[in-house]
Amino acid sequence: MAMLAVQKLRPVRHPPVQGPFQKSTRPNAQFVRMAASESATSDTMPISVKVPRVLTVAGSDSGGGAGIQADMKTCAALGVFCTTAITALTAQNTIGVQGIYPVPAKFLEKQLKSVLSDIGADVVKTGMLPSAECIETLCSVLDLFPIRAVVVDPVMVATSGDELAGAGILDALGKKLLPRTDILTPNMPEASQLLGGASVTNFEEMKKAAVEIHKMGPRYVLIKGGHLSGSDDMVDILYDGSEMHEYHGSRVETRNTHGTGCSLASAIAAELAKGSQMRQAVQAAKEYVKETIQRSSKLTIGGGSQGPLNHLHRLNHWERLGQSHFKPESLLLYAVTDSSMNERWGRSTSEAVKEVIEGGATIVQIREKEAESGDFLQEAEASLKVAREYGIPLVINDRLDIALACDADGVHLGQSDLPVSRARAILGPNKIIGVSCKTPEQAQRAWEEGADYIGSGGVYPTNTKQNNKTIGVEGLRKVCESSPLPVVAIGGIKDHNVQEVMASPRPKQLRGVAVVSGLFNQPDVAVAAKHFRAILAEALDESYSRAF
Ligand SMILES: Nc1ncnc2c1ncn2[C@@H]1O[C@H](COP(=O)(O)OP(=O)(O)O)[C@@H](O)[C@H]1O
Ligand SMILES: Cc1ncc(COP(=O)(O)O)c(N)n1
Ligand SMILES: [Mg+2]
């Protein structure tokens, strides 16, 4: 295959770190590199922030659980920028390795030089190195660039038992790479293979192996105990040439251990890149992998015996999948209370809530724009009692404090209320968070920050909310198409326009209508709710029959 001519590569020196953000504690501050145009006039220096960098030299795992893919996710989770030089493509999944396609050494060299001559790396981490030639190429390139540390995971056999690198690499590994390795991280079978088949099956043999392998050149040897059979203690042993250090952790019962070795080595590399000393780096990496295995233990991805980890569990999305009590179907008839309307008809909020649920409302929002906090709380508590009797979810509009105080099922936030991410951090994964969105950008952000549903409108002009911009059915459609979150239409929804909003073709995210005066400014709330349910049934049935 012809390759494009590329500019000649040369090593570059990296300028010393400068600028006020260096010690910032803002999350992701290390990723902020301000462009000169944003931060300074063209004749002043741009502010530069040092980003810790790891280069991973490893194989690709098409199944996303190990190799390059695990390395990049681990680094991302630990706040480190990760570049890659791919040594081989594997066709791999949770069942095993179906094929290996090694990358020619010349092209590996090109990748290494591209990355190191421009971006550079604090730490190089290696995984699958499929041939002696590939190891020799790597070592000759490493000679050309300043690297602070080299982490070597001597990948030979995948957890599935498939061979990823044969005994043919052992000579090059021992002669070229191990003498320049800062830490070598074999699992027990790999330790045995490095020692020509010596038995490494228990704690005592792990310690002996560490001493012997240390003689092959690496500054530190970490023998991983993931394969210790019959042990509940997953102990890893670090040997620095004079002392042994043990890192203990209890075994997590799970099928999801594919990629744990790659992730541990990458986590060590990431911690070293951030400036840790070796023992601290190993400790932090072990903690990260342990927590990640724990928090991934119930995932079902793929049908094989070796499932992957959820490296980015701190983002929380997958965990909430199994935990949230929210069901999108509950948006069908969303009743939003209005105390002035209810007063006019001589009923309390909780009485109105009882009636609307009996008529068929599928979720209730308590909305109070004027009430004092104490009164709002009392109303919310009384309404919640009713909603719980009927098993209908109840959320509080705007006021996270009231939602917390009465232990409501959740909160509905506007764009000027607390950000969804903060509300999620306060309420935890189990509570419902809805958010009002008028634009695709707002919808996308709601999804990213962890909302459960979107209320979108005003679809039609309304008196219940002052200065509320109308977005129309077209604006509603755009919001629906901008995130995977379920959407409830709100604003001026009356019995005569439900059909227009809900009938086919309807965006698949649109799950129901939110109604205020159509329910509560009526003499009989239950009758009004029944009426809406009948219109909804008709609109949905019609669209159903048209779609098929
Ligand atoms: N079931 C488990 N529970 C907890 N920790 C584990 C488990 N399996 C592996 N580990 C840890 O994951 C890391 C990777 O170890 P290991 O599985 O031996 O490597 P590899 O994936 O290279 O075979 C080690 O820190 C080990 O102690
Ligand atoms: C491309 C590639 N590299 C490495 C591994 C080892 O995985 P583990 O981390 O489970 O030892 C793998 N299965 N595939
Ligand atoms: Mg491994």
Side-chain angles (χ1 to χ4, degrees):
M1 186 179 65
M3 269 183 251
L4 292 177
V6 287
Q7 78 194 78
K8 225 172 159 48
L9 300 167
R10 62 189 163 76
V12 290
R13 263 180 211 292
H14 293 278
V17 179
Q18 44 178 273
F21 291 130
Q22 190 189 349
K23 292 207 171 68
S24 170
T25 52
R26 274 193 303 144
N28 297 328
Q30 63 269 44
F31 286 113
V32 179
R33 174 166 282 186
M34 283 188 161
S37 57
E38 282 172 42
S39 61
T41 54
S42 55
D43 56 349
T44 58
M45 284 287 287
I47 296 167
S48 145
V49 179
K50 186 180 183 316
V51 178
R53 297 147 304 163
V54 165
L55 163 61
T56 169
V57 185
S60 157
D61 169 7
S62 55
I68 288 282
Q69 287 80 354
D71 298 348
M72 292 201 82
K73 286 185 273 188
T74 300
C75 287
L78 298 175
V80 169
F81 186 78
C82 183
T83 51
T84 62
I86 300 184
T87 58
L89 308 180
T90 70
Q92 193 173 172
N93 55 21
T94 62
I95 301 164
V97 180
Q98 291 81 41
I100 298 180
Y101 190 77
V103 169
K106 271 278 165 228
F107 197 73
L108 174 63
E109 180 182 356
K110 260 207 158 61
Q111 298 175 69
L112 291 166
K113 287 186 172 173
S114 287
V115 170
L116 291 171
S117 65
D118 174 31
I119 298 162
D122 298 301
V123 178
V124 168
K125 177 253 156 185
T126 72
M128 175 180 177
L129 299 171
S131 65
E133 198 187 2
C134 146
I135 294 175
E136 280 152 15
T137 302
L138 168 68
C139 292
S140 66
V141 176
L142 287 181
D143 282 339
L144 305 176
F145 298 91
I147 306 289
R148 292 215 323 263
V150 177
V151 176
V152 175
D153 181 17
V155 171
M156 291 181 197
V157 182
T159 327
S160 55
D162 298 284
E163 190 173 273
L164 296 169
I169 69 159
L170 286 175
D171 192 47
L173 192 70
K175 286 204 178 104
K176 302 269 171 138
L177 189 54
L178 295 191
R180 60 185 315 138
T181 296
D182 292 279
I183 179 165
L184 182 73
T185 64
N187 61 22
M188 294 165 68
E190 287 157 352
S192 160
Q193 221 165 332
L194 287 166
L195 295 172
S199 170
V200 186
T201 54
N202 57 40
F203 185 62
E204 284 313 312
E205 288 175 352
M206 282 169 76
K207 287 205 278 194
K208 260 194 234 150
V211 174
E212 290 309 309
I213 293 172
H214 189 268
K215 292 179 188 156
M216 298 166 83
R219 278 204 308 128
Y220 289 82
V221 179
L222 181 73
I223 313 269
K224 298 173 293 191
H227 298 251
L228 260 176
S229 59
S231 168
D232 273 345
D233 183 13
M234 297 280 89
V235 61
D236 300 343
I237 294 172
L238 182 71
Y239 182 61
D240 61 9
S242 58
E243 282 179 53
M244 295 276 176
H245 304 281
E246 295 169 18
Y247 298 85
H248 295 269
S250 45
R251 176 193 293 275
V252 180
E253 273 317 315
T254 176
R255 71 186 264 278
N256 298 327
T257 55
H258 177 57
T260 48
C262 304
S263 306
L264 184 76
S266 292
I268 295 172
E271 294 301 330
L272 292 173
K274 288 192 280 188
S276 290
Q277 297 300 309
M278 190 61 80
R279 283 175 57 186
Q280 291 169 314
V282 173
Q283 180 73 48
K286 173 92 180 163
E287 295 285 323
Y288 167 73
V289 172
K290 194 168 68 182
E291 187 192 353
T292 304
I293 298 174
Q294 256 160 8
R295 293 181 66 171
S296 312
S297 62
K298 295 194 169 56
L299 296 178
T300 35
I301 295 177
S305 61
Q306 289 294 324
L309 303 173
N310 174 14
H311 290 89
L312 299 170
H313 57 82
R314 287 174 192 168
L315 293 182
N316 219 359
H317 285 145
W318 293 355
E319 282 178 13
R320 297 197 49 254
L321 285 180
Q323 288 186 26
S324 174
H325 300 312
F326 179 69
K327 295 189 181 64
E329 311 82 90
S330 60
L331 294 177
L332 181 64
L333 180 56
Y334 186 125
V336 182
T337 65
D338 183 304
S339 49
S340 60
M341 289 177 193
N342 285 320
E343 265 165 38
R344 193 173 314 144
W345 293 95
R347 51 194 171 227
S348 70
T349 300
S350 58
E351 282 162 353
V353 166
K354 184 175 163 63
E355 287 179 35
V356 86
I357 291 175
E358 285 184 345
T362 50
I363 184 169
V364 174
Q365 180 195 120
I366 306 293
R367 182 167 175 268
E368 269 303 344
K369 289 291 176 189
E370 311 294 333
E372 309 232 332
S373 296
D375 296 339
F376 192 169
L377 180 61
Q378 262 183 3
E379 259 182 16
E381 278 173 338
S383 304
L384 192 60
K385 200 160 164 252
V386 174
R388 293 262 155 92
E389 275 167 28
Y390 290 87
I392 291 291
L394 181 143
V395 300
I396 304 293
N397 186 49
D398 294 352
R399 297 280 300 268
L400 189 67
D401 56 343
I402 303 280
L404 278 170
C406 68
D407 191 30
D409 299 307
V411 70
H412 184 89
L413 301 169
Q415 289 292 325
S416 52
D417 297 318
L418 275 186
V420 172
S421 54
R422 295 297 169 85
R424 176 62 69 205
I426 295 168
L427 288 175
N430 296 329
K431 296 290 184 189
I432 302 168
I433 299 183
V435 57
S436 300
C437 297
K438 287 185 185 296
T439 66
E441 294 73 29
Q442 291 172 353
Q444 187 59 40
R445 190 162 357 108
W447 158 246
E448 286 165 7
E449 293 192 3
D452 291 294
Y453 74 88
I454 287 170
S456 185
V459 181
Y460 302 104
T462 167
N463 297 327
T464 17
K465 202 165 177 191
Q466 254 103 58
N467 306 323
N468 189 26
K469 192 172 151 257
T470 301
I471 62 167
V473 175
E474 187 51 23
L476 171 67
R477 187 187 56 78
K478 286 194 185 130
V479 166
C480 289
E481 288 168 357
S482 303
S483 94
L485 290 177
V487 176
V488 60
I490 188 163
I493 308 279
K494 302 278 172 4
D495 52 2
H496 59 82
N497 56 31
V498 169
Q499 182 74 26
E500 187 189 23
V501 176
M502 294 302 291
S504 181
R506 170 182 74 245
K508 73 174 192 309
Q509 309 299 339
L510 184 58
R511 303 304 289 255
V513 290
V515 187
V516 189
S517 58
L519 292 171
F520 296 109
N521 209 6
Q522 307 296 326
D524 189 323
V525 176
V527 167
K530 266 195 201 119
H531 178 51
F532 269 94
R533 281 295 296 261
I535 303 171
L536 279 163
E538 203 180 307
L540 297 179
D541 271 344
E542 245 190 52
S543 59
Y544 183 83
S545 54
R546 263 189 241 160
F548 292 85

